[in-house]
Amino acid sequence: MTKGKSASSEGPRARIGHKLILSFVLLVMVVVGLSGWVLFELTDRSLERQMRDHLVSVATLVSTSLSGNVLRYMRPGREHSDLYRRLMGKLQRAEQGVGARHIFVFDRQYRSLLDTDGLMPIGREYPKRIFHRRELERVWKGYTAHSVLFYDGDVPYMTGYAPIFDGDEVVAAVGVEIGAGFVDSIRVFGRSVLIFAGLSALLTVGVAWGLARTLTRPIQKLVEAAREIGRGNMDQEVATASDDEIGYLGEAMEEMRRKLAARDAQLRLMLGGVAHEIRNPLGSIELYAGLIAGDLPASDERKQHIEKVIEEVRRLNGVTSEFLEFARPAPAQPQPTVLARLVADAAFLLAPEMQAAGISYEEHIAPDLVCYIDAEQMERALVNLMKNAVQAMRDGGHLTVRAADDGAEVVVEVADDGSGMSEAVQARLFEPFFTTKEQGSGLGMALVARAVEENRGRIEIDSRQGEGTVCRLRLPQSKDRVPWAGF
Ligand code: ADP
Ligand code: MG
C-alpha cells in the first residue's frame, strides 16, 4: 500500500467522453442515414418513373407510325421487299434517335414482324423468356405497358410496349428496349451518400471528442483537488478557469476548502493550547511525584503507587508532545544526516520497552549512508514506526531495521513479525486520531507521513494480518560525507 492511494483513484466507470461520442455518432448516423436513404429512394423512384414515361412514349410514337394494316403484308420470306426495308429503316432511325438498344414488332402469336437487330426473320417465334407476358396482357387489351428494370448481364435496361391497331383491333405490339443509364448515376449517388455519412461520422467523433475533453479536463482537475483536500492537504487553491457550471462547482469547492482550512487551523490552535496548558503542570507533577518516591522506603506499598503515577504521567507527557507536534507543525530543516546514528538513537530510546516485551532487535545499516533530512523530525518518525512495531509484538518477536542505497534515495525498512494489519486498518493508517489501541493517540503514523512528506520522501506499507509489517521509507540521499565517530 502506498500512502494516499484510495479505491476511487481508478477513475469513473463510464466516461462522459465515450457517452458523448457514442450519442453524437448515433444521432448523426441516424439523421444522415435516414435522410440519405429517403433522398436515395425518392431520386431512384422519380428517375425510374421518368424512364418509364419516356419508354412508353417512345413505344407509342413508334406504334402510331406503323399502321396495322400494312403489317399484314409482313409474311415470312418478304425480308427483301421494299416495304420491309422502308419499315426497318424507319425503326432503325427511331432507334438511333431515342438511343434505344432494340426495337421490335411482333404479332399476337409472338412471331417476329420487324426486328432492328436483324437477327429474327419474319414469322420466327421469339423465345418466350424475352417477353413480359403479364405486361403484354395489357397491351393486347389496347394499353401501353412497361417492364420492371432488369439486367442483361451487367447492363440494366427496361422494355416499353405499345399496341398496334388495325381499326379497333390490336394486331401487333411494338417493344422498345432502352438501357437504364440512370441506374449507374443512382449507384454513384448511393455511394456518395455512404461516403458522406462516413465522413460526417468521423467529423462527429472529432467534434464530440473535443467537446468531451473541454468538459472532462476541468472535472478531472476538480477531482484531483477534492482528493488533495481529502488527504488533508488544504493549502492548494482550487483553480477554476471556466465560468460555466463546472467553474461554479470549482468556486463552491474552493469556498469549502477555505472554510475547512480555517476550521482545521482553529482546531489545531485549540489542541495546541490545551496540550501546552497540560504539559506544564505535568512536568511539575512528575517532579514532585519523583521527590515523594525518593522519600519513601522500598518496603512502603505507597512507593509502588507513586511510581505508577509517574509512569502514567510520562505516558501523558508523550501524548501531549504528539498533540503539540501535530498542532504546531514545523517546516523541515534538512541537513546531511548519518542514518545509522538516527536509528541507533531511536533504538536506544525504545530499548527498555523492547526488553520488557522480549523482542530481539537487529540493525543492518551501512555507517556511511547519509540522508538529506531534518534529523529531529526523522528521528521522531523512526521512533513512532519502531514503537508501533514493538506494540504489535506483545508476546515478543523480531524487530529489524535495514537501510540500503538506492541511487538518489536511501530505502529504510522497519520490519516486525507482529500482529500485522487488516486492509481496513491500512486504509485509515495515516488518518490523524485513528488508533486501534486502548491508550493510543492515533497521531503516530499521521506525524510519520507528514515528516516523510516534509523531507521529500515517500512511505510504503507492506502488511499482512498475523504475519507482520514492513514500513518502507524512501529518503533523499545526500552525497556529502559526514564524519561520525560511532556510538
Ligand atoms: P497509535 O500507535 O497511537 O495507535 P498510529 O498512528 O501510530 O497510532 O497507528 C495507528 C494504528 O495503525 C495503530 O493503532 C495500529 O492498529 C496500526 N499499526 C501501526 N503500525 C503497526 C504495526 N507495525 N503493526 C501492526 N499495526 C500497526
Ligand atoms: Mg503509534
Side-chain angles (χ1 to χ4, degrees):
M1 199 201 73
T2 307
K3 182 188 173 287
K5 197 173 161 191
S6 72
S8 58
S9 63
E10 290 125 32
R13 280 179 301 278
R15 290 181 189 277
I16 289 185
H18 296 172
K19 287 187 190 164
L20 260 181
I21 291 176
L22 201 72
S23 25
F24 264 54
V25 170
L26 267 179
L27 189 74
V28 166
M29 291 308 270
V30 166
V31 170
V32 172
L34 217 64
S35 47
W37 180 73
V38 168
L39 215 65
F40 180 83
E41 280 294 309
L42 285 181
T43 318
D44 188 36
R45 269 186 221 162
S46 96
L47 284 177
E48 200 174 326
R49 194 175 323 118
Q50 272 181 35
M51 168 96 192
R52 278 181 209 151
D53 294 349
H54 178 59
L55 260 178
V56 167
S57 47
V58 169
T60 312
L61 199 74
V62 175
S63 77
T64 47
S65 72
L66 298 170
S67 92
N69 196 14
V70 170
L71 289 180
R72 290 181 194 284
Y73 296 100
M74 292 296 128
R75 296 261 166 74
R78 297 235 173 129
E79 285 87 0
H80 300 293
S81 68
D82 269 357
L83 179 65
Y84 182 84
R85 265 193 227 128
R86 199 151 44 77
L87 290 179
M88 278 294 273
K90 200 190 249 179
L91 287 195
Q92 272 157 354
R93 277 195 301 282
E95 188 183 72
Q96 275 171 8
V98 300
R101 269 166 51 109
H102 189 195
I103 298 182
F104 51 108
V105 179
F106 49 97
D107 65 12
R108 296 187 73 141
Q109 281 74 47
Y110 302 101
R111 285 186 303 233
S112 176
L113 299 177
L114 293 162
D115 190 315
T116 51
D117 278 358
L119 298 173
M120 294 295 281
I122 299 172
R124 167 89 55 88
E125 203 172 326
Y126 277 105
K128 294 208 170 55
R129 63 180 165 77
I130 77 160
F131 288 112
H132 305 90
R133 298 263 169 182
R134 204 176 311 141
E135 285 85 354
L136 281 169
E137 290 304 314
R138 282 174 50 80
V139 176
W140 303 138
K141 284 183 189 135
Y143 304 103
T144 54
H146 56 78
S147 72
V148 291
L149 187 71
F150 62 101
Y151 287 83
D152 177 10
D154 258 358
V155 189
Y157 65 96
M158 285 170 98
T159 313
Y161 297 103
I164 299 175
F165 290 94
D166 182 11
D168 282 343
E169 197 192 341
V170 178
V171 291
V174 59
V176 178
E177 275 178 18
I178 296 185
F182 79 92
V183 170
D184 282 338
S185 30
I186 201 83
R187 271 192 202 142
V188 172
F189 178 71
R191 222 173 294 137
S192 319
V193 167
L194 276 183
I195 290 173
F196 180 69
L199 282 181
S200 35
L202 274 184
L203 194 73
T204 326
V205 170
V207 170
W209 186 73
L211 196 69
R213 263 178 81 88
T214 51
L215 260 181
T216 51
R217 251 216 215 133
I219 292 179
Q220 199 58 42
K221 274 194 185 153
L222 289 186
V223 168
E224 261 147 40
R227 286 222 177 102
E228 275 306 302
I229 294 175
R231 278 180 211 138
N233 301 338
M234 278 176 270
D235 317 325
Q236 195 71 36
E237 198 177 312
V238 181
T240 41
S242 57
D243 51 2
D244 52 14
E245 283 85 345
I246 295 173
Y248 192 49
L249 174 64
E251 275 166 31
M253 276 176 62
E254 168 59 12
E255 198 181 314
M256 178 188 81
R257 180 198 67 86
R258 258 188 277 120
K259 286 187 177 159
L260 278 177
R263 184 140 12 124
D264 201 53
Q266 249 173 7
L267 279 177
R268 277 172 198 270
L269 204 67
M270 199 182 81
L271 186 68
V274 171
H276 191 72
E277 287 302 314
I278 291 175
R279 204 160 67 154
N280 287 344
L282 276 182
S284 312
I285 293 173
E286 191 185 344
L287 180 75
Y288 289 118
L291 288 179
I292 295 172
D295 284 349
L296 290 172
S299 55
D300 196 326
E301 163 181 278
R302 285 173 299 171
K303 190 175 172 108
Q304 273 176 25
H305 296 164
I306 204 77
E307 262 160 9
K308 188 80 188 149
V309 169
I310 293 170
E311 196 188 308
E312 290 292 294
V313 166
R314 281 203 185 120
R315 201 183 60 76
L316 258 181
N317 228 331
V319 172
T320 22
S321 302
E322 278 184 355
F323 278 9
L324 264 181
E325 196 189 339
F326 177 72
R328 299 176 182 170
Q333 291 178 325
Q335 299 285 336
T337 306
V338 176
L339 191 66
R341 188 179 60 86
L342 280 195
V343 177
D345 285 356
F348 179 73
L349 278 177
L350 288 169
E353 273 188 62
M354 290 200 265
Q355 207 169 14
I359 291 166
S360 69
Y361 174 68
E362 263 181 62
E363 209 176 277
H364 304 282
I365 300 172
D368 58 349
L369 274 179
V370 180
C371 294
Y372 189 67
I373 48 176
D374 183 316
E376 211 180 304
Q377 272 182 1
M378 281 320 297
E379 186 181 321
R380 276 203 299 271
L382 283 170
V383 169
N384 275 325
L385 288 179
M386 288 160 71
K387 200 182 217 164
N388 278 345
V390 169
Q391 288 171 349
M393 298 185 287
R394 284 271 162 250
D395 307 321
H398 302 85
L399 172 59
T400 314
V401 182
R402 268 187 206 93
D405 183 338
D406 188 20
E409 291 175 329
V410 173
V411 183
V412 189
E413 283 183 357
V414 178
D416 66 62
D417 49 8
S419 61
M421 286 177 266
S422 68
E423 290 281 324
V425 170
Q426 289 185 47
R428 302 189 58 192
L429 183 60
F430 298 102
E431 259 176 44
F433 305 109
F434 171 76
T435 179
T436 59
K437 297 167 194 166
E438 215 166 285
Q439 293 191 319
S441 69
L443 285 176
M445 291 307 282
L447 289 172
V448 170
R450 196 164 68 198
V452 169
E453 207 160 297
E454 277 282 316
N455 287 279
R456 299 176 179 283
R458 279 177 295 154
I459 182 164
E460 290 159 15
I461 307 289
D462 268 334
S463 185
R464 270 170 198 245
Q465 203 154 20
E467 288 179 25
T469 303
V470 180
C471 297
R472 198 170 297 115
L473 304 185
R474 293 176 182 276
L475 301 173
Q477 176 151 205
S478 166
K479 287 297 168 198
D480 293 351
R481 294 281 139 244
V482 178
W484 180 48
F487 299 100

PDB file of all heavy atoms in Angstrom, residues 82 85 108 113 263 280 348 353 391 413 446 453 468 484:
ATOM      1  N   ASP A  82     -39.531  -3.988-100.566  1.00  0.00           N
ATOM      2  CA  ASP A  82     -39.313  -2.550-100.344  1.00  0.00           C
ATOM      3  C   ASP A  82     -39.964  -2.116 -99.044  1.00  0.00           C
ATOM      4  O   ASP A  82     -39.383  -1.364 -98.258  1.00  0.00           O
ATOM      5  CB  ASP A  82     -39.938  -1.740-101.487  1.00  0.00           C
ATOM      6  CG  ASP A  82     -38.932  -1.516-102.593  1.00  0.00           C
ATOM      7  OD1 ASP A  82     -37.780  -1.961-102.391  1.00  0.00           O
ATOM      8  OD2 ASP A  82     -39.305  -0.931-103.631  1.00  0.00           O
ATOM      9  N   ARG A  85     -37.995  -3.107 -96.062  1.00  0.00           N
ATOM     10  CA  ARG A  85     -36.804  -2.243 -95.911  1.00  0.00           C
ATOM     11  C   ARG A  85     -37.174  -0.861 -95.409  1.00  0.00           C
ATOM     12  O   ARG A  85     -36.505  -0.273 -94.590  1.00  0.00           O
ATOM     13  CB  ARG A  85     -36.078  -2.144 -97.253  1.00  0.00           C
ATOM     14  CG  ARG A  85     -34.967  -3.169 -97.297  1.00  0.00           C
ATOM     15  CD  ARG A  85     -34.025  -2.905 -98.442  1.00  0.00           C
ATOM     16  NE  ARG A  85     -33.798  -4.153 -99.138  1.00  0.00           N
ATOM     17  CZ  ARG A  85     -33.936  -4.320-100.445  1.00  0.00           C
ATOM     18  NH1 ARG A  85     -34.285  -3.327-101.220  1.00  0.00           N
ATOM     19  NH2 ARG A  85     -33.693  -5.489-100.992  1.00  0.00           N
ATOM     20  N   ARG A 108     -49.719 -11.268 -82.320  1.00  0.00           N
ATOM     21  CA  ARG A 108     -50.264 -11.784 -81.075  1.00  0.00           C
ATOM     22  C   ARG A 108     -49.780 -13.194 -80.768  1.00  0.00           C
ATOM     23  O   ARG A 108     -49.943 -13.677 -79.644  1.00  0.00           O
ATOM     24  CB  ARG A 108     -51.787 -11.749 -81.098  1.00  0.00           C
ATOM     25  CG  ARG A 108     -52.287 -10.305 -81.174  1.00  0.00           C
ATOM     26  CD  ARG A 108     -53.767 -10.243 -81.028  1.00  0.00           C
ATOM     27  NE  ARG A 108     -54.186 -10.493 -79.676  1.00  0.00           N
ATOM     28  CZ  ARG A 108     -55.182  -9.852 -79.065  1.00  0.00           C
ATOM     29  NH1 ARG A 108     -55.835  -8.906 -79.716  1.00  0.00           N
ATOM     30  NH2 ARG A 108     -55.535 -10.146 -77.868  1.00  0.00           N
ATOM     31  N   LEU A 113     -42.226  -9.623 -86.591  1.00  0.00           N
ATOM     32  CA  LEU A 113     -42.604  -8.958 -87.839  1.00  0.00           C
ATOM     33  C   LEU A 113     -41.464  -8.058 -88.298  1.00  0.00           C
ATOM     34  O   LEU A 113     -41.048  -8.071 -89.442  1.00  0.00           O
ATOM     35  CB  LEU A 113     -43.878  -8.159 -87.641  1.00  0.00           C
ATOM     36  CG  LEU A 113     -45.110  -8.988 -87.232  1.00  0.00           C
ATOM     37  CD1 LEU A 113     -46.303  -8.101 -86.980  1.00  0.00           C
ATOM     38  CD2 LEU A 113     -45.440 -10.024 -88.299  1.00  0.00           C
ATOM     39  N   ARG A 263     -11.208  25.920   9.694  1.00  0.00           N
ATOM     40  CA  ARG A 263     -11.630  25.109  10.838  1.00  0.00           C
ATOM     41  C   ARG A 263     -10.457  24.250  11.326  1.00  0.00           C
ATOM     42  O   ARG A 263     -10.224  24.111  12.530  1.00  0.00           O
ATOM     43  CB  ARG A 263     -12.803  24.216  10.425  1.00  0.00           C
ATOM     44  CG  ARG A 263     -13.329  23.436  11.578  1.00  0.00           C
ATOM     45  CD  ARG A 263     -14.827  23.303  11.653  1.00  0.00           C
ATOM     46  NE  ARG A 263     -15.573  23.707  10.499  1.00  0.00           N
ATOM     47  CZ  ARG A 263     -16.429  22.893   9.874  1.00  0.00           C
ATOM     48  NH1 ARG A 263     -16.562  21.658  10.265  1.00  0.00           N
ATOM     49  NH2 ARG A 263     -17.144  23.328   8.866  1.00  0.00           N
ATOM     50  N   ASN A 280       2.750  21.737  31.049  1.00  0.00           N
ATOM     51  CA  ASN A 280       3.496  22.398  32.126  1.00  0.00           C
ATOM     52  C   ASN A 280       3.202  21.791  33.496  1.00  0.00           C
ATOM     53  O   ASN A 280       4.136  21.362  34.192  1.00  0.00           O
ATOM     54  CB  ASN A 280       3.204  23.908  32.117  1.00  0.00           C
ATOM     55  CG  ASN A 280       3.905  24.567  30.945  1.00  0.00           C
ATOM     56  OD1 ASN A 280       4.815  23.967  30.356  1.00  0.00           O
ATOM     57  ND2 ASN A 280       3.487  25.754  30.584  1.00  0.00           N
ATOM     58  N   PHE A 348      17.823   3.135  21.021  1.00  0.00           N
ATOM     59  CA  PHE A 348      18.232   3.344  22.414  1.00  0.00           C
ATOM     60  C   PHE A 348      17.026   3.765  23.260  1.00  0.00           C
ATOM     61  O   PHE A 348      16.808   3.265  24.354  1.00  0.00           O
ATOM     62  CB  PHE A 348      19.331   4.413  22.460  1.00  0.00           C
ATOM     63  CG  PHE A 348      19.792   4.712  23.845  1.00  0.00           C
ATOM     64  CD1 PHE A 348      20.585   3.804  24.549  1.00  0.00           C
ATOM     65  CD2 PHE A 348      19.417   5.907  24.483  1.00  0.00           C
ATOM     66  CE1 PHE A 348      21.002   4.076  25.828  1.00  0.00           C
ATOM     67  CE2 PHE A 348      19.829   6.168  25.768  1.00  0.00           C
ATOM     68  CZ  PHE A 348      20.617   5.253  26.451  1.00  0.00           C
ATOM     69  N   GLU A 353      11.446  -0.808  26.441  1.00  0.00           N
ATOM     70  CA  GLU A 353      10.180  -1.423  26.013  1.00  0.00           C
ATOM     71  C   GLU A 353      10.432  -2.733  25.290  1.00  0.00           C
ATOM     72  O   GLU A 353       9.707  -3.717  25.479  1.00  0.00           O
ATOM     73  CB  GLU A 353       9.430  -0.488  25.052  1.00  0.00           C
ATOM     74  CG  GLU A 353       8.536   0.507  25.779  1.00  0.00           C
ATOM     75  CD  GLU A 353       7.669   1.287  24.825  1.00  0.00           C
ATOM     76  OE1 GLU A 353       6.839   0.647  24.137  1.00  0.00           O
ATOM     77  OE2 GLU A 353       7.837   2.522  24.728  1.00  0.00           O
ATOM     78  N   GLN A 391       4.836  -2.389  19.761  1.00  0.00           N
ATOM     79  CA  GLN A 391       3.493  -2.582  20.340  1.00  0.00           C
ATOM     80  C   GLN A 391       2.697  -3.657  19.597  1.00  0.00           C
ATOM     81  O   GLN A 391       1.711  -4.165  20.127  1.00  0.00           O
ATOM     82  CB  GLN A 391       2.732  -1.249  20.317  1.00  0.00           C
ATOM     83  CG  GLN A 391       3.302  -0.278  21.353  1.00  0.00           C
ATOM     84  CD  GLN A 391       2.733   1.122  21.229  1.00  0.00           C
ATOM     85  OE1 GLN A 391       2.062   1.443  20.255  1.00  0.00           O
ATOM     86  NE2 GLN A 391       3.024   1.961  22.211  1.00  0.00           N
ATOM     87  N   GLU A 413      13.933   0.287   5.946  1.00  0.00           N
ATOM     88  CA  GLU A 413      12.810  -0.609   6.256  1.00  0.00           C
ATOM     89  C   GLU A 413      12.744  -0.886   7.739  1.00  0.00           C
ATOM     90  O   GLU A 413      13.752  -1.228   8.354  1.00  0.00           O
ATOM     91  CB  GLU A 413      12.965  -1.936   5.512  1.00  0.00           C
ATOM     92  CG  GLU A 413      12.600  -1.857   4.061  1.00  0.00           C
ATOM     93  CD  GLU A 413      12.705  -3.211   3.378  1.00  0.00           C
ATOM     94  OE1 GLU A 413      13.111  -4.192   4.041  1.00  0.00           O
ATOM     95  OE2 GLU A 413      12.382  -3.267   2.183  1.00  0.00           O
ATOM     96  N   ALA A 446       0.255   9.588  11.384  1.00  0.00           N
ATOM     97  CA  ALA A 446      -0.022  10.874  10.736  1.00  0.00           C
ATOM     98  C   ALA A 446       1.228  11.747  10.782  1.00  0.00           C
ATOM     99  O   ALA A 446       1.587  12.399   9.796  1.00  0.00           O
ATOM    100  CB  ALA A 446      -1.189  11.573  11.423  1.00  0.00           C
ATOM    101  N   GLU A 453       6.801  13.466   4.137  1.00  0.00           N
ATOM    102  CA  GLU A 453       6.434  14.387   3.059  1.00  0.00           C
ATOM    103  C   GLU A 453       7.273  15.666   3.134  1.00  0.00           C
ATOM    104  O   GLU A 453       7.801  16.131   2.130  1.00  0.00           O
ATOM    105  CB  GLU A 453       4.956  14.722   3.181  1.00  0.00           C
ATOM    106  CG  GLU A 453       4.308  15.105   1.872  1.00  0.00           C
ATOM    107  CD  GLU A 453       2.804  14.947   1.959  1.00  0.00           C
ATOM    108  OE1 GLU A 453       2.333  13.819   2.157  1.00  0.00           O
ATOM    109  OE2 GLU A 453       2.123  15.965   1.863  1.00  0.00           O
ATOM    110  N   GLY A 468       2.939  -9.825  10.082  1.00  0.00           N
ATOM    111  CA  GLY A 468       3.869  -8.745  10.371  1.00  0.00           C
ATOM    112  C   GLY A 468       3.751  -7.602   9.399  1.00  0.00           C
ATOM    113  O   GLY A 468       2.926  -7.622   8.492  1.00  0.00           O
ATOM    114  N   TRP A 484      31.455  10.581  11.329  1.00  0.00           N
ATOM    115  CA  TRP A 484      30.737  10.147  12.523  1.00  0.00           C
ATOM    116  C   TRP A 484      31.599   9.126  13.238  1.00  0.00           C
ATOM    117  O   TRP A 484      32.029   8.125  12.656  1.00  0.00           O
ATOM    118  CB  TRP A 484      29.390   9.526  12.125  1.00  0.00           C
ATOM    119  CG  TRP A 484      28.602   9.064  13.304  1.00  0.00           C
ATOM    120  CD1 TRP A 484      28.350   9.766  14.440  1.00  0.00           C
ATOM    121  CD2 TRP A 484      27.972   7.794  13.460  1.00  0.00           C
ATOM    122  NE1 TRP A 484      27.595   9.047  15.294  1.00  0.00           N
ATOM    123  CE2 TRP A 484      27.336   7.819  14.722  1.00  0.00           C
ATOM    124  CE3 TRP A 484      27.872   6.652  12.672  1.00  0.00           C
ATOM    125  CZ2 TRP A 484      26.621   6.733  15.205  1.00  0.00           C
ATOM    126  CZ3 TRP A 484      27.154   5.589  13.181  1.00  0.00           C
ATOM    127  CH2 TRP A 484      26.530   5.629  14.417  1.00  0.00           C
TER     128      TRP A 484
END
